[in-house]
């Protein structure tokens, strides 16, 4: 399986381009700010054709280029319905102090949804680019946060965790729509409930594994306790 990790924008949010192999269809996960040029380079380098965009949640640093990329390639953009409002009102997902800075960062708006917006739900399986993506609803960071899991040809699960869990940390819950109790439940089911060899590709920072986080991540140790 080919997976290209592309840190994008001022907040270095990870965008991922993945495909069974070079020279075919691919899926793009979380194209945030300033992602379009990097995605275009990855597509050209590996001779890939996008068939879908997957969004782990609706925060602007993960979705900003989704409408542009989806429209350019004529492909659907997948997002949980509970985060749909963040596409057109990004300031509603951050604290008031940060919201005041967004107009300078993003421009005055209005902000539009992707032309082809497809809603996902927990328990869905999406077959895209010859790969099967399991969807798990993981509220806590945002109401509509999800993780997508796909299995490599060697049988290793790969989870795109968005801002649910990072190497050594977890997503914050103090923004509007955040829910600490829901986050703990999501961490228990979507992270601690998975095999240790599950590869975790987070929304920020380096890749990790469930096993590594189970034993070293202080937030997960507290959750397990």
């Amino acid at each position: 399986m080919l997976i290209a990790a592309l840190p994008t924008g001022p907040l270095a949010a990870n965008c991922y381009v993945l495909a069974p192999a070079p020279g075919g269809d691919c899926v793009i996960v979380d194209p945030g700010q300033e992602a379009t040029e990097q995605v275009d380079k990855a597509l050209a380098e590996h001779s890939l054709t996008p068939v879908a965009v997957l969004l782990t949640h609706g925060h602007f640093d993960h979705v900003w280029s989704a409408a542009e990329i989806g429209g350019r390639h004529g492909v659907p953009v997948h997002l949980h319905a509970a985060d749909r409002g963040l596409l057109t009102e990004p300031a509603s997902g951050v604290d008031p102090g940060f919201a005041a800075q967004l107009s300078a960062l993003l421009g005055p708006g209005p902000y539009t949804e992707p032309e082809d917006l497809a809603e996902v739900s927990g328990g869905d399986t999406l077959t895209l680019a010859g790969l099967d993506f399991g969807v798990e609803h993981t509220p806590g960071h945002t109401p509509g946060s999800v993780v997508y899991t796909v299995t490599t040809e060697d049988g290793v699960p790969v989870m795109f965790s968005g801002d649910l869990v990072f190497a050594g940390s977890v997503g914050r819950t103090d923004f509007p729509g955040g829910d600490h109790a829901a986050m703990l439940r999501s961490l228990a089911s979507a992270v601690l409930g998975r095999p240790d060899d599950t590869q975790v590709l987070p929304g920020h920072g380096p890749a990790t594994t469930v096993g590594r986080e189970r034993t070293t991540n202080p937030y997960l140790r507290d959750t397990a306790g």
Side-chain angles (χ1 to χ4, degrees), residues 8 11 40 42 46 48 50 71 102 122 129-130 133 137 142 149 162-163 165 187 191 206-207 210:
T8 63
L11 300 181
D40 285 347
H46 301 291
L48 296 172
L102 277 185
F133 294 84
H137 185 207
T142 67
T149 304
D163 286 1
V165 64
L187 289 167
V191 182
V210 166

Side-chain angles (χ1 to χ4, degrees), residues 62 105 125 129 138 142 173 180 186 196 201 211:
H62 294 263
L105 186 65
T125 298
T138 53
T142 67
T173 59
H180 182 68
S186 294
D196 283 350
L201 301 183

Side-chain angles (χ1 to χ4, degrees), residues 35-36 41 76 79 104 107 115 140 146 154 178 180 188 191-192 208-209 220 223:
T36 302
K41 288 180 179 179
L79 176 71
E115 296 175 12
V146 301
D154 297 326
H180 182 68
V191 182
L192 294 174
T208 184
T209 66
L220 288 182
T223 300

Side-chain angles (χ1 to χ4, degrees), residues 23-52:
D25 292 340
C26 71
V27 174
I28 301 165
V29 180
D30 282 1
Q33 293 173 282
E34 303 171 6
T36 302
E37 183 176 352
Q38 290 195 64
V39 168
D40 285 347
K41 288 180 179 179
L43 298 180
E45 178 182 355
H46 301 291
S47 301
L48 296 172
T49 302
V51 297

Side-chain angles (χ1 to χ4, degrees), residues 177-189:
D179 184 325
H180 182 68
M183 172 65 87
L184 294 180
R185 291 192 295 269
S186 294
L187 289 167
S189 62

Side-chain angles (χ1 to χ4, degrees), residues 3 16 29 56 133-134 136 138 146-152 156-162 164-166 186-187 189-195 197-203 207-210 213 220:
I3 302 177
Y16 298 97
V29 180
T56 60
F133 294 84
E136 184 170 351
T138 53
V146 301
V147 299
Y148 300 97
T149 304
V150 64
T151 302
T152 70
V156 177
V158 178
M159 179 172 67
F160 297 89
S161 66
L164 173 66
V165 64
F166 313 113
S186 294
L187 289 167
S189 62
V191 182
L192 294 174
R194 294 183 187 273
D197 66 345
T198 301
Q199 299 292 308
V200 179
L201 301 183
T208 184
T209 66
V210 166
E213 298 313 300
L220 288 182

